[in-house]
Amino acid sequence: MEASWRQVASGRGRARGRATAAPSSGNGVHLRGAGGGREKGSVGAAGLGPIPGGAATPAAAGSSARRSPAGSEALQTSLASELMSQKKFEEIKKANQAAAKKLVEEHLNSSSEEEGDEDFEGKRGKIVANTFITYTTQTDGDVRELERTKQYVNEAFQAGAMTCLICIASVKRNQAVWSCSGCFCIFHMPCIQKWAKDSQFLVSSPLTDDDFGKRDYPWPCPKCRFEYKRSDTPSRYYCYCGKVEDPPLDPWLVPHSCGQVCERDFKPPCGHKCLLLCHPGPCPPCPKMVTTTCYCKKAKPIPRRCSAKEWSCHLPCGRKLLCGQHKCENPCHAGSCPPCPRVSRQKCVCGKQVAERSCASPLWHCDQVCGKTLPCGNHTCEQVCHVGACGECPRSGKRFCPCQKSKFSLPCTEDVPTCGDSCDKVLECGIHRCSQRCHRGPCETCRQEVEKHCRCGKHTKRMPCHKPYLCETKCVKLRDCQKHQCRRKCCPGNCPPCDQNCGRTLGCRNHKCPSVCHRGSCYPCPETVGVKCNCGNTKVTVPCGRERTTRPPKCKEQCSRPPTCHHTSQEKHRCHFGSCPPCHQPCRKVLEKCGHLCPAPCHDQALIKQTGRHQPSGPWEQPSEPAFIQTALPCPPCQVPIPMECLGKHEVSPLPCHTVGPYSCRRVCGRTLDCQNHTCMKECHKVTEIDSCTDKNKAGPECLQCEEGCSKSRPPGCPHPCVLPCHPGECPPCVQMLRVKCHCKITSLYVECRKITTADVNEKNLLSCCKNQCPKELPCGHRCKEMCHPGECPFNCNQKVKLRCPCKRIKKELQCNKVRENQISIECDITCKEMKRKASEIKEAEAKAALEEEKRRQQAELEAFENRLKGRRKKNRKRDEVAVELTLWQKYKYYLFPVCAVVVLVFAWYIAHGVD
């Protein structure tokens, strides 16, 4: 059971480590601190490094000039190593600074990979709401007009919400963007530039237009199809309001905003400008206050928002309608009054018929012919019910013949005759003319045979002129989509646009292009997808295709899943995906053995490391990660404290409920044994108490029996232990013989121990005396004359000693104590001084003779050297030989030394013995 609970703890620790590893990747504070500390250290190290370029200080130059070549080489080597280390240090410093800068930029310019804290999101929502609340708090502001602007601002703040529809990627803070002025959708600058270039190329392609390069072809917005001129193609990155080029990145502003007042004109224009700071999306409705009246001008002017300055007083309009008879009964409204809704009997234009019709349309025409007699008096008007006079008779005046060549003046009752000339009208073929005589009615069909070309111009055939000639050849040219062939028979070259569906998969990977087959890239998917939380109450709308990379929104609702453990309700936590977190409520199950409630955290779904898994058969198999399974564990042992007394009745300790029972406190028993000197040294154990014994500290039969010797303290000086075992009471006297040394430390004496331990000082001195002469030496060097005694020897030496003079010739005998007390000394006499003088004279003579001998030798060597120089000048002359005559001292000095030494010794011996 304990092993299983240890596995649970390890599993929870590992699961907790995995759960908390993801947020720590966002670690901004650490980056900032590392960058600052490292940068400061780099500057300090660079300031203390060697002089750049290998230059040395003047002192260093002077010292290096005075050094040896070996020292200069060593100096150059050290300087080279220092320069190399400095160069490496600079490279590492630059690399570290670049890495730190890159990490900081990624941290600041995070997109969908980073997600704000819940508290920060709540504060941000409140700030945005407070910004727009002033637009609706006064005088009937329209909240619906603000929703679009608020949505764009929220998406700009929310990481990963802004998406480029061209590349289906999130728009980051540090990327150049372009905003459409029609739909306000945001695109990456390179994406929109490529889109505009491709659109212009496709529209102005020579395959579709012959005026390539001569016209200004527009390009559409990828989302709203709003058309822009070629000159409107974006080439520079501006903020939303267009005031600042390349706006700097500021974490305290809306991304891609300059932070200045927008000042764009409102749409529809009202003469005022936007007062928000530079923002994405459309400007909100104008918040200015103006004084206006209602539509019907009956109410008094009141102050209202400029965006809602047109208002209705809801009173009847009262203006006359177009019928001129009735008034408008609708409430105060904008624009012209509607047509009169009433019905009345009205005559037609000619006045022949009367019908009930709408009062709003008083003029109407019946279906009867006019029938009035014309001014000629012979014909009637053939027009249908009309207004005004009927006009002149159409047959009056001069009239042309059918071929329009001759003109006749005839009464209206006669028909115009034919002129007899050829008709000569152009036939339907448009090439030939009619060859008949002037005739009434249409000309006949052209029947001439001509050589006709087909419509595509590939074939010719002789046939009647009125018949068209179409060959059976199918056109193989590609249509404007550049994918499908025309396949029309006898095509003249103006192939119709492709009528097939495009059908290509869009960038969202979910839908296909519904447009007609076309060239170039398809328009972005117009659909939007809702990304929901697990319970479905919270939803965010993203462009189609972004639902795979967009994280689900954080739902503030409580998780509504039923508990998976034995508890009736689970701990409150937010809506989430995946399994619910482990239950941390107390188990509170009733334990079977003791009846207490289990206080441990719920363990119905504990994580246990799976054992007995497949072991790798060799190093080539990759070891798999440890697997954890959820299983229900039994309740841990009851830990409720129960007071219990130990076996030896030393203490009362609270024990866990599952370990209640007789226990040992691990202390020493401590009960007094029968010897009355020792206590039981066994570990705390059960003791059977005897009823007749009143002493609770008395040892029982289970205690140890004392088997040690007597350990009582002995009398001072007795080194022997007591011969009895451990016993109560006093020990008997010691009768063993003790070996002691006498005072002079030479003889060993054997004395009873009790005599030594009970004797006083004098008795101990007598027992320790060996009765022999003391062998110790006095300070004078003679032996002590007293018997073996303690302490220092008395100084009373009477032995005679001999004294001599400094030259050792005179000698006398005196008592030792008198000599040491009076410090008597013997001085030399006249004879001693005479002997000293003679000896000094002999030494001086020997030194003088040696000096003369040295001078003579040097003179001889000088003469020999000069003779050798003369001999070199004369080749045939023999070398001079210099004969040096030896002195007596040089001849006999080796014999005189021993003789003199013997004479001095004999003389000294004679003086010494002659005095005695």
Side-chain angles (χ1 to χ4, degrees), residues 6-144:
R6 282 195 296 270
Q7 291 179 357
V8 171
S10 64
R12 285 181 178 175
R14 295 184 183 181
R16 188 180 300 111
R18 288 194 297 268
T20 57
S24 66
S25 64
N27 30 46
V29 175
H30 296 294
L31 284 175
R32 187 172 298 172
R38 184 173 295 169
E39 200 167 304
K40 187 181 296 182
S42 303
V43 173
L48 295 177
I51 299 174
T57 58
S63 60
S64 62
R66 292 191 297 270
R67 289 174 183 161
S68 61
S72 62
E73 292 179 359
L75 178 62
Q76 292 177 358
T77 305
S78 63
L79 288 176
S81 62
E82 288 179 0
L83 289 175
M84 184 63 68
S85 62
Q86 179 70 14
K87 184 177 180 181
K88 291 182 178 179
F89 173 77
E90 293 294 336
E91 293 177 355
I92 295 172
K93 182 180 73 173
K94 292 180 180 179
N96 291 338
Q97 290 177 352
K101 184 177 180 181
K102 182 178 179 181
L103 290 175
V104 170
E105 289 180 353
E106 290 179 355
H107 174 71
L108 291 177
N109 304 326
S110 61
S111 59
S112 60
E113 292 79 11
E114 298 181 358
E115 194 169 338
D117 195 33
E118 291 184 3
D119 296 338
F120 178 74
E121 289 181 358
K123 293 180 180 178
R124 184 185 66 200
K126 291 180 180 179
I127 292 173
V128 175
N130 292 334
T131 302
F132 291 101
I133 196 171
T134 57
Y135 285 80
T136 59
T137 53
Q138 298 179 6
T139 327
D140 300 331
D142 191 359
V143 180
R144 293 174 298 176

Side-chain angles (χ1 to χ4, degrees), residues 74-298:
L75 178 62
Q76 292 177 358
T77 305
S78 63
L79 288 176
S81 62
E82 288 179 0
L83 289 175
M84 184 63 68
S85 62
Q86 179 70 14
K87 184 177 180 181
K88 291 182 178 179
F89 173 77
E90 293 294 336
E91 293 177 355
I92 295 172
K93 182 180 73 173
K94 292 180 180 179
N96 291 338
Q97 290 177 352
K101 184 177 180 181
K102 182 178 179 181
L103 290 175
V104 170
E105 289 180 353
E106 290 179 355
H107 174 71
L108 291 177
N109 304 326
S110 61
S111 59
S112 60
E113 292 79 11
E114 298 181 358
E115 194 169 338
D117 195 33
E118 291 184 3
D119 296 338
F120 178 74
E121 289 181 358
K123 293 180 180 178
R124 184 185 66 200
K126 291 180 180 179
I127 292 173
V128 175
N130 292 334
T131 302
F132 291 101
I133 196 171
T134 57
Y135 285 80
T136 59
T137 53
Q138 298 179 6
T139 327
D140 300 331
D142 191 359
V143 180
R144 293 174 298 176
E145 296 293 334
L146 295 172
E147 292 300 326
R148 194 177 179 191
T149 305
K150 290 172 66 175
Q151 179 183 357
Y152 275 96
V153 174
N154 284 325
E155 289 179 356
F157 277 115
Q158 186 179 0
M162 290 194 300
T163 305
C164 177
L165 297 179
I166 299 176
C167 62
I168 314 298
S170 59
V171 178
K172 298 184 179 180
R173 292 172 174 264
N174 62 339
Q175 293 177 335
V177 297
W178 175 82
S179 176
C180 176
S181 60
C183 61
F184 302 98
C185 188
I186 295 176
F187 305 92
H188 291 125
M189 181 66 72
C191 296
I192 195 64
Q193 288 175 345
K194 185 176 183 299
W195 176 273
K197 183 178 179 181
D198 293 345
S199 300
Q200 292 172 5
F201 175 76
L202 294 176
V203 174
S204 61
S205 175
L207 297 175
T208 58
D209 198 338
D210 297 334
D211 296 332
F212 175 72
K214 298 180 181 180
R215 295 174 57 188
D216 188 7
Y217 297 99
W219 57 273
C221 170
K223 183 178 181 181
C224 65
R225 310 298 195 270
F226 183 80
E227 291 188 349
Y228 293 90
K229 297 180 181 179
R230 175 179 293 183
S231 58
D232 295 335
T233 303
S235 60
R236 299 180 182 275
Y237 168 41
Y238 288 94
C239 62
Y240 297 113
C241 65
K243 294 180 182 178
V244 179
E245 181 181 353
D246 294 330
L249 179 63
D250 192 343
W252 299 103
L253 295 176
V254 179
H256 316 292
S257 171
C258 64
Q260 302 180 22
V261 179
C262 178
E263 293 185 349
R264 285 185 288 183
D265 293 333
F266 287 109
K267 293 182 181 180
C270 62
H272 303 130
K273 295 185 178 181
C274 180
L275 301 178
L276 288 179
L277 298 183
C278 183
H279 61 89
C283 295
C286 181
K288 291 285 187 180
M289 300 296 294
V290 294
T291 302
T292 57
T293 185
C294 62
Y295 296 112
C296 64
K297 311 298 181 181
K298 294 180 181 180

